[in-house]
Amino acid sequence: MTNKILEIENLTVSFDGFKALNNLNFSMNAGELRVIIGPNGAGKTTFLDVITGKVQPTKGRVLFKGKNLKKIPEHKITRMGIGRKFQTPRVYLNLTVRENLDLVANRNKNVFPTLFGYSSSTEKRNVAGLIETIGLDAKADLLADLLSHGEKQRLEIGMLVAQSPDLLLVDEPAAGLTDEETANVGALLLSLAERHSIIAIEHDMEFVRQIAQDKVTVLHQGSVLCEGKMEQVQNDPRVIEVYLGEPPEE
Amino acid sequence: MDSELNIGIYKKKKQQRKQLIEAGIIIAIALIFAIILPIVLPAFRLRLFGRFLALTIVALGIDLIWGYTGLLSLGHGIFFALGGYAIAMHLKLQIPEGQLPDFFTLYGVNKLPWFWQPFYSFPFTLVALVVIPGIVAGLLGYLVFRNRIKGVYFSILTQAALLVFFNFFNGQQKLINGTNGLKTDTERIFDLLVSSATVQRTFYILTVIFLVLIYLFCRWLTSGRFGRLLIAIRDDETRVRFSGYDPTGFKVLVFAISGAIAGIAGALYTVQTGIITPAIMQVAFSIEMVIWVAVGGRGTLIGAIIGTLLVRLAQTFLSERFPQVWLFFQGALFLTVVTVLPNGIVGWFKDYAWQKVQFLLGLRQPLVTYPQIEEDPAIQREREQLTRE
C-alpha cells in the first residue's frame, strides 16, 4: 500500500446551488509533485480553499494523512502541515523579509509563547538559510513592500517552507513573472519537491512542462477530467477540446 | 564569515547606543514633566496638564489596537469610565463607618449596594480599576472577534456598546447616582483632601510615572514578535491564519490590554478632574480619542502622546480666546490631517521632514529602496576580486 498524503472523496462544494466542485475524487502520494490545470472557473482555487479549510465541503470529505479535515479551522490545518501560497503574493508588506520569515518560522504559535518567547538560535539559523535559498540576502532587512513582484513571490514561497509543511499548495506561482523569474521559481519548486509533497495550480503551459515530472490532473467544471503524465494529457482529445485548443498547424 | 560577525556586532552596538539615547530622552522629558513643570506652572494649570497626560495614556491604548492591530474602537469611553468609577467609588467610601455616601439618601437608599462593598479596600480598588475594564474589553472582544467581525462592523458594535453603558450609568440613580456622577474633590484620601495641592501634585507625578511605564510597556509589546504579528493581523488577517496563527486570541488579548490601559487613564483623569459622570461616555469623547491618535500618527506610540497633547493644548488655548469657534478648529485640524497628512504628524516627520532636516544639515541620507553600496555583498565580492588581481 502506498502512502497517500491527500485523499478526496466525492467532494461537492456548492455556493447557493452553483456547484464549484462536483463529485470530485482525487488522491496523491506522499512526495509527489502534482500539477493541476484547467480552464477558468474549473474550480481550481475552490479546490485549494476546501483543503485549507477556508471553505467547508457541502458533501464528501478531505483526508490529509488519513485525518478528516472537516470543521477544523484554518490555522489548525496549517499547523497539521499544509502550507498555502496564494495567487497574488501575500506577504506582510510592513515587515522586513527577515521578520516575515521569522513570524512563520515560530515554533509555538499560541498567544503567550509568542508574546514572551524569543527566536531561538536554530530558528534564526533556519531563517538565515532560507533567505539565502530564496536569494534575498542583500535585501533581508528591507521592508517587503519595497520588493519587486518576483521577489515577493520568492519570499512567499520561502515563508511556506519556513512552516516546514508536508504538503505545499501553490496557486499560480508563475503569474505575472518574467521568463527568467518563472524559470527561477520553477527551479525552486523542483528543489522543494525533493523533500515535500506539492500541489501546483498553473495556467502557463510552458511552466507546467518545466515542473511536471509526475502526474498532471485536469479539472473541468468542478470534477477531474483526466489524469496522467504530461504527454498523455496533452494528447487527450477531451483536454484539447476544453482547454488546450487545437495545436497550431505546422 | 569574520566580516559578517563584525557587521553583526557593529549592528548590535549601534542598536544599543540608539536604545541608550532613547532612554535618556525619555528620562529627561519625564523629569522635566515631573519636577520642573510643577515649579513653573500654577496649580490650576498643572492640574489641567495632568489631565491631558492622563488622556495621553488612553491614546496609547488606542494606538495599540488601531495603529498596530487595525481595530478602530469607538467605545473606549466605556473602559475609561469604568476605571474612573472604580477609583471614585473608593473615594466616596472614605467616610466614618456605618454612613453611606451622601447621594444615597436622596433616593431613599439605606443599604450600600453589594457591589460597593469591596471598594472599601484600597488594594482591591487598584486592582479593579485595571482588571474590570480589561475583562469587559476582553469579553466584548471575544464575542466580536470569535465571529470574525471586522472593520466598520467592529467600530459600530463598539459604539453601540458605548451607548448601552452610557444609558445604563445614566439611568441608575440608586446605584451610582445616575447622571450626576460621583464627585471626588471633596472626599479624602489617606486623610488628605483630594483637591488639596499636595494630593493633586502627587496625582500629577503619578500620572507622569504611569505614562512612562505604560509607554515602555507598549514599546515592549510592539517591538518583538508579538508586535510584528499585530501588524500582520492589521495588514492581512487571512494570511495570518494560513501562517498557523489564530488571530482571535491575539486580538482579544490586545483589546483587553488596551481596555485596561484606558481604565488606568480614566482613574488618573477622574481624580484630577474632581468628578466622574456618565458624560465621559458620550460618543463625541470616544471619537475625540481616535482623533488624537490620527493627528499624532497611527502606529507610532510617541505620535499618540504628541497628538493628544497638541489637540488638547490647542483646545485650551483657542477656547480661552475664541470660545465660539474652537469646534471649527478641531474639525479643520482633523480634516487637514486626514487629507494632507494621512500618517499624522509623526508619520509626516519620519517620511518627509526628517530627510529634509538631514539634507539641510548636510548629513548622508540613507537609501531605503536598495541595499547601500557598501553593504551590497555582490559589490563587496567584486571589489575583493579586483583588489586580489
Side-chain angles (χ1 to χ4, degrees):
Chain A
M1 191 194 126
T2 41
N3 192 6
K4 297 274 185 220
I5 190 158
L6 187 71
E7 288 168 279
I8 291 175
E9 296 164 1
N10 303 326
L11 182 68
T12 300
V13 172
S14 58
F15 300 116
D16 297 325
F18 169 72
K19 286 183 175 165
L21 293 179
N22 191 2
N23 210 15
L24 181 135
N25 285 291
F26 177 90
S27 81
M28 71 181 271
N29 297 328
E32 199 179 331
L33 169 68
R34 179 72 67 98
V35 182
I36 294 180
I37 56 175
N40 285 325
K44 299 184 301 273
T45 301
T46 311
F47 180 70
L48 294 192
D49 282 348
V50 175
I51 298 175
T52 50
K54 203 176 169 203
V55 169
Q56 284 297 324
T58 318
K59 252 190 277 171
R61 55 183 198 160
V62 180
L63 300 176
F64 173 64
K65 294 197 247 174
K67 235 181 269 159
N68 195 345
L69 295 182
K70 195 169 179 153
K71 297 238 164 110
I72 300 182
E74 295 100 313
H75 65 274
K76 287 203 177 131
I77 293 183
T78 306
R79 290 186 200 175
M80 285 166 73
I82 296 183
R84 175 174 187 181
K85 195 211 151 302
F86 287 87
Q87 212 158 335
T88 47
R90 281 171 89 167
V91 296
Y92 305 119
L93 297 177
N94 288 308
L95 301 178
T96 68
V97 171
R98 197 188 300 281
E99 288 167 349
N100 264 287
L101 289 168
D102 175 73
L103 213 54
V104 278
N106 186 4
R107 284 275 147 258
N108 192 334
K109 292 178 176 165
N110 291 322
V111 176
F112 289 103
T114 305
L115 179 55
F116 296 109
Y118 288 91
S119 349
S120 66
S121 55
T122 356
E123 280 170 14
K124 273 187 187 154
R125 235 174 299 129
N126 282 346
V127 168
L130 266 174
I131 291 175
E132 218 166 281
T133 313
I134 56 176
L136 290 176
D137 7 15
K139 300 184 178 179
D141 293 312
L142 281 188
L143 290 187
D145 198 15
L146 301 171
L147 300 178
S148 73
H149 182 73
E151 286 166 336
K152 281 183 197 154
Q153 293 278 32
R154 271 185 284 156
L155 172 58
E156 200 182 3
I157 293 177
M159 284 164 72
L160 263 191
V161 179
Q163 294 173 18
S164 51
D166 303 312
L167 176 63
L168 284 167
L169 307 176
V170 195
D171 199 351
E172 299 198 25
L177 296 186
T178 64
D179 291 349
E180 192 197 340
E181 283 171 327
T182 307
N184 274 340
V185 170
L188 187 57
L189 277 182
L190 285 176
S191 69
L192 289 176
E194 288 164 16
R195 272 175 296 149
H196 305 268
S197 315
I198 300 182
I199 294 181
I201 285 182
E202 196 41 73
H203 258 311
D204 181 343
M205 290 314 289
E206 201 54 50
F207 184 65
V208 173
R209 270 179 218 113
Q210 185 195 345
I211 61 172
Q213 327 153 303
D214 305 322
K215 275 198 218 164
V216 175
T217 300
V218 185
L219 286 191
H220 180 55
Q221 291 179 347
S223 20
V224 175
L225 184 69
C226 82
E227 212 168 70
K229 287 271 178 205
M230 188 64 195
E231 305 85 60
Q232 272 170 283
V233 168
Q234 253 177 313
N235 297 320
D236 190 303
R238 288 174 301 168
V239 178
I240 293 172
E241 187 193 330
V242 302
Y243 184 49
L244 295 175
E246 292 294 332
E249 300 281 328
E250 279 173 36
Chain B
M1 211 53 211
D2 250 9
S3 69
E4 218 169 88
L5 200 67
N6 280 336
I7 290 174
I9 291 171
Y10 170 72
K11 267 190 185 162
K12 201 156 217 182
K13 271 194 181 153
K14 210 170 155 189
Q15 215 180 1
Q16 279 174 346
R17 221 184 78 193
K18 249 186 170 172
Q19 276 174 348
L20 270 181
I21 292 176
E22 206 190 320
I25 294 175
I26 293 172
I27 292 171
I29 293 178
L31 286 181
I32 292 176
F33 279 2
I35 296 174
I36 300 187
L37 281 188
I39 301 172
V40 181
L41 290 178
F44 164 71
R45 289 279 172 203
L46 189 71
R47 200 170 158 175
L48 198 63
F49 194 67
R51 284 162 63 190
F52 294 169
L53 288 182
L55 294 177
T56 62
I57 295 178
V58 69
L60 280 176
I62 291 200
D63 202 12
L64 209 53
I65 54 163
W66 188 34
Y68 285 90
T69 327
L71 306 166
L72 175 57
S73 162
L74 299 178
H76 256 50
I78 299 173
F79 316 122
F80 192 80
L82 285 176
Y85 268 98
I87 192 87
M89 280 161 75
H90 173 71
L91 293 175
K92 276 283 175 200
L93 289 175
Q94 302 308 301
I95 39 177
E97 211 154 314
Q99 279 188 27
L100 286 183
D102 44 13
F103 70 87
F104 278 125
T105 48
L106 293 176
Y107 311 115
V109 178
N110 42 30
K111 192 173 170 294
L112 198 65
W114 60 270
F115 67 90
W116 278 72
Q117 294 291 351
F119 285 95
Y120 273 116
S121 148
F122 186 59
F124 173 85
T125 307
L126 288 190
V127 174
L129 66 86
V130 183
V131 170
I132 292 177
I135 288 177
V136 172
L139 265 178
L140 183 68
Y142 177 71
L143 293 175
V144 174
F145 302 138
R146 192 194 51 171
N147 294 318
R148 302 198 180 178
I149 294 169
K150 285 197 280 197
V152 179
Y153 302 100
F154 170 74
S155 305
I156 292 172
L157 270 174
T158 52
Q159 190 166 73
L162 179 73
L163 286 170
V164 168
F165 271 82
F166 173 70
N167 285 326
F168 178 78
F169 275 67
N170 227 357
Q172 298 300 319
Q173 275 95 350
K174 290 186 177 176
L175 296 180
I176 34 161
N177 203 16
T179 181
N180 300 318
L182 304 177
K183 202 161 155 46
T184 60
D185 245 3
T186 48
E187 306 301 329
R188 308 181 79 79
I189 185 168
F190 298 123
D191 270 334
L192 290 165
L193 198 64
V194 170
S195 57
S196 69
T198 3
V199 174
Q200 284 300 323
R201 177 167 304 179
T202 316
F203 280 139
Y204 172 78
I205 289 171
L206 271 177
T207 310
V208 174
I209 293 171
F210 269 105
L211 176 59
V212 172
L213 290 180
I214 289 171
Y215 173 76
L216 292 177
F217 175 68
C218 291
R219 271 299 295 265
W220 173 73
L221 268 184
T222 53
S223 60
R225 223 179 220 168
F226 185 80
R228 295 197 286 269
L229 192 80
L230 296 184
I231 293 175
I233 290 175
R234 177 190 73 192
D235 290 350
D236 194 343
E237 192 177 330
T238 316
R239 187 71 181 78
V240 170
R241 290 180 199 279
F242 289 112
S243 300
Y245 292 94
D246 182 9
T248 310
F250 289 90
K251 284 160 83 179
V252 169
L253 179 68
V254 79
F255 196 58
I257 290 175
S258 176
I261 291 176
I264 297 173
L268 290 166
Y269 184 81
T270 301
V271 290
Q272 294 180 85
T273 309
I275 188 168
I276 177 132
T277 67
I280 211 81
M281 284 187 280
Q282 272 168 356
V283 169
F285 185 58
S286 290
I287 292 178
E288 201 191 322
M289 295 177 188
V290 173
I291 295 180
W292 302 330
V293 177
V295 168
R298 269 174 296 164
T300 58
L301 293 171
I302 199 77
I305 299 177
I306 293 176
T308 313
L309 289 181
L310 197 80
V311 173
R312 274 283 155 154
L313 288 173
Q315 191 177 35
T316 313
F317 176 77
L318 291 170
S319 60
E320 277 169 10
R321 281 182 183 59
F322 325 98
Q324 304 89 350
V325 290
W326 153 246
L327 279 176
F328 289 103
F329 275 108
Q330 189 175 340
L333 182 69
F334 189 53
L335 280 179
T336 317
V337 167
V338 169
T339 51
V340 185
L341 308 172
N343 293 324
I345 293 166
V346 172
W348 168 78
F349 185 78
K350 264 190 189 162
D351 297 342
Y352 178 77
W354 179 234
Q355 281 178 23
K356 268 269 165 316
V357 171
Q358 279 182 319
F359 176 73
L360 288 176
L361 293 176
L363 294 171
R364 191 181 71 156
Q365 291 182 51
L367 281 170
V368 276
T369 43
Y370 279 92
Q372 292 183 38
I373 291 174
E374 289 90 300
E375 286 162 22
D376 191 335
I379 290 179
Q380 277 178 342
R381 230 173 290 137
E382 267 172 32
R383 260 192 204 152
E384 267 171 39
Q385 279 171 356
L386 283 175
T387 45
R388 231 177 274 151
E389 279 158 15

